[in-house]
Amino acid sequence: MVIVECVALGTMISNDIVMLLLPTSRKLFHEQSGDLGSQILTIRRIGIVVILLLGLVYFQSTSDAALASIGLVSFAAIAQIAPS
């Protein structure tokens, strides 16, 4: 599940943030040659690795009780929606 979420977040980051900034940076550095598809794929892979590393840092910096409390809060939020 973590891998699927990281791939989804990496795709969202590349589509929503990087693709908006890429044309302006290409004009700035006068890079008109090269395959844009391979650059986007590389950016997505870097984003996935960065997200995984940030998750690992968060896991190492918090205790196990913090992760359990986040799960309980999300379960309580879904339980409130269930009656409707």
Side-chain angles (χ1 to χ4, degrees), residues 35-74:
D35 186 22
L36 186 61
S38 65
Q39 291 176 357
I40 293 171
L41 186 61
T42 304
I43 290 169
R44 284 185 184 174
R45 289 177 179 164
I46 291 170
I48 291 168
V49 170
V50 167
I51 291 168
L52 281 171
L53 290 175
L54 287 173
L56 179 65
V57 167
Y58 179 76
F59 176 72
Q60 294 293 328
S61 65
T62 60
S63 65
D64 292 336
L67 294 176
S69 68
I70 291 172
L72 287 174
V73 168
S74 63

Side-chain angles (χ1 to χ4, degrees), residues 5-21:
E5 291 174 5
C6 286
V7 170
L9 281 173
T11 303
M12 287 182 214
I13 288 171
S14 72
N15 288 343
D16 295 337
I17 297 173
V18 176
M19 288 301 290
L20 295 175
L21 300 176

Side-chain angles (χ1 to χ4, degrees), residues 19-37:
M19 288 301 290
L20 295 175
L21 300 176
L22 195 61
T24 57
S25 67
R26 289 174 64 91
K27 288 178 188 175
L28 187 66
F29 295 113
H30 303 292
E31 297 177 20
Q32 297 299 326
S33 63
D35 186 22
L36 186 61

